[in-house]
Amino acid sequence: MELSLKGKIAIVGGASMGIGYGIARMLAAEGARVAMTARREPALREAAERLRAETGTEVLPVQADSRRADDCKRVVETVVAQWGGVDILVNNDGAPPLGDIMSFDDAAWQKAMEQNFMYVVRMVRGTVPHMKARGGGGIVNISAISAIQPIAGFGLSVASWGGMIGYAKTASIELGPFGINVNTVCPGYIETSRLEKVFAAGGEDTAKMRADLVAQVPMRRIGTVDDVAGLVALLVSPRGNYITGATIQVDGGLLRHVR
Ligand SMILES: NC(=O)c1ccc[n+]([C@@H]2O[C@H](COP(=O)([O-])OP(=O)(O)OC[C@H]3O[C@@H](n4cnc5c(N)ncnc54)[C@H](OP(=O)(O)O)[C@@H]3O)[C@@H](O)[C@H]2O)c1
């Protein structure tokens, strides 16, 4: 299926590795121009070079911390100055620390809200005027299945993503009339360096944890970044524009709920 992404202008957060890089690569392979962000500049530049070499498309690395309001503003300004607008926004980054909800103080909760909630609010606020000017756009937020079915130890993310999902649903209602769709994608377990950290935090033998997990997943495997990126590319393309306000898991069938 031709996704009609050629020449579109995309911003992908947390794109120096993992799911973000996979999404940036998928969009670039479909012909989009891709601005990618991350905090650590050398890794970001190296990832941008690799992407350029792999896809031959225009790539713009912009160092930024998603938790900083000024950085969010600068990312949008840089992309608009370079390419003249924005069509696609993918909000993705790392995640707040794992731990028991009783162990976190106000500062930790505030940081989590900056990362998982205010980041999305700021990036949407910055990019939507440009999408409106171009007659539409596509926004996807990357969350996790723990936002649908909470897991002990993931409380900072679960709670802050809960607010973000309510925000995204409201945004889909308000922005639909402008041709802008807004969706949230919830990966299950995806093969990235972060997954290794999640296994390590479990405190058991990681090979056993991995095998136990695979046995619970109906598709009998851990997901790949391309499993997530394929859905994101569809959602932000004209082909997926009628899908909006949805929260969609990509988990190999791990969540058992019907609705
Ligand atoms: N992997 C999984 O199994 C899985 C499952 C469900 C949900 N998720 C969610 O998907 C997202 C991506 O996960 P991943 O596995 O791809 O992680 P990852 O491999 O650790 O990659 C995270 C990326 O985000 C960047 N990043 C981290 N903090 C940032 C910040 N404050 N500002 C800007 N960039 C930042 C990192 O670069 P720098 O460190 O240089 O900034 C890196 O490029 C996370 O929110 C995670 O919770 C992952």
Side-chain angles (χ1 to χ4, degrees), residues 226-245:
D226 281 351
D227 289 325
V228 180
L231 173 64
V232 174
L234 172 70
L235 290 172
V236 299
S237 77
R239 301 276 188 183
N241 182 255
Y242 199 60
I243 305 167
T244 194

Side-chain angles (χ1 to χ4, degrees), residues 13-21 37-41 43-44 64-68 71 91-96 115-116 119 142-146 154 157 161 185-198 222-223 225:
S16 63
M17 61 185 183
I19 292 171
Y21 184 80
T37 72
R39 291 166 303 177
R40 285 169 293 177
E41 190 138 36
L44 178 65
D65 185 334
S66 62
R67 295 168 299 191
R68 299 174 63 97
D71 284 14
N91 294 312
N92 171 73
D93 55 18
Q115 178 152 27
N116 282 357
Y119 162 49
I142 303 300
S143 177
I145 53 169
S146 57
F154 286 67
S157 282
W161 272 330
V185 168
C186 296
Y189 291 87
I190 306 296
E191 204 66 77
T192 69
S193 61
R194 179 171 165 74
L195 184 60
E196 283 307 315
K197 284 185 207 154
V198 170
I222 290 183
V225 295

Side-chain angles (χ1 to χ4, degrees), residues 5-251:
L5 287 171
K6 225 172 189 52
K8 297 279 185 195
I9 299 163
I11 299 175
V12 183
S16 63
M17 61 185 183
I19 292 171
Y21 184 80
I23 293 168
R25 185 177 56 198
M26 185 76 77
L27 297 180
E30 292 293 325
R33 287 171 276 177
V34 181
M36 47 207 291
T37 72
R39 291 166 303 177
R40 285 169 293 177
E41 190 138 36
L44 178 65
R45 291 205 168 278
E46 191 272 325
E49 277 311 318
R50 196 164 5 111
L51 198 58
R52 210 173 276 132
E54 278 180 16
T55 63
T57 194
E58 289 178 72
V59 178
L60 179 65
V62 188
Q63 186 282 332
D65 185 334
S66 62
R67 295 168 299 191
R68 299 174 63 97
D70 288 356
D71 284 14
C72 293
K73 192 162 175 278
R74 180 170 49 78
V75 169
V76 179
E77 285 170 356
T78 306
V79 174
V80 171
Q82 180 85 10
W83 289 328
V86 183
D87 301 300
I88 294 165
L89 171 66
V90 180
N91 294 312
N92 171 73
D93 55 18
L98 302 178
D100 190 299
I101 47 169
M102 298 305 288
S103 67
F104 295 114
D105 61 10
D106 281 9
W109 282 102
Q110 271 153 9
K111 260 185 163 172
M113 291 303 288
E114 290 289 326
Q115 178 152 27
N116 282 357
F117 183 79
M118 288 311 298
Y119 162 49
V120 173
V121 171
R122 289 168 179 147
M123 291 304 293
V124 169
R125 203 164 49 203
T127 53
V128 159
H130 300 286
M131 293 181 185
K132 283 183 179 174
R134 292 165 73 83
I139 300 172
V140 170
N141 309 306
I142 303 300
S143 177
I145 53 169
S146 57
I148 302 171
Q149 183 173 288
I151 302 171
F154 286 67
L156 285 179
S157 282
V158 170
S160 47
W161 272 330
M164 185 276 284
I165 289 170
Y167 169 85
K169 185 71 186 173
T170 311
S172 74
I173 297 165
E174 295 183 4
L175 300 178
F178 301 97
I180 301 168
N181 68 339
V182 186
N183 293 289
T184 301
V185 168
C186 296
Y189 291 87
I190 306 296
E191 204 66 77
T192 69
S193 61
R194 179 171 165 74
L195 184 60
E196 283 307 315
K197 284 185 207 154
V198 170
F199 280 143
E204 289 173 36
D205 176 49
T206 55
K208 183 178 177 312
M209 287 173 75
R210 189 175 274 273
D212 289 349
L213 172 64
V214 167
Q216 286 174 47
V217 177
M219 295 298 280
R220 293 290 185 270
R221 64 177 177 86
I222 290 183
T224 67
V225 295
D226 281 351
D227 289 325
V228 180
L231 173 64
V232 174
L234 172 70
L235 290 172
V236 299
S237 77
R239 301 276 188 183
N241 182 255
Y242 199 60
I243 305 167
T244 194
T247 303
I248 309 172
Q249 72 259 32
V250 182
D251 65 351

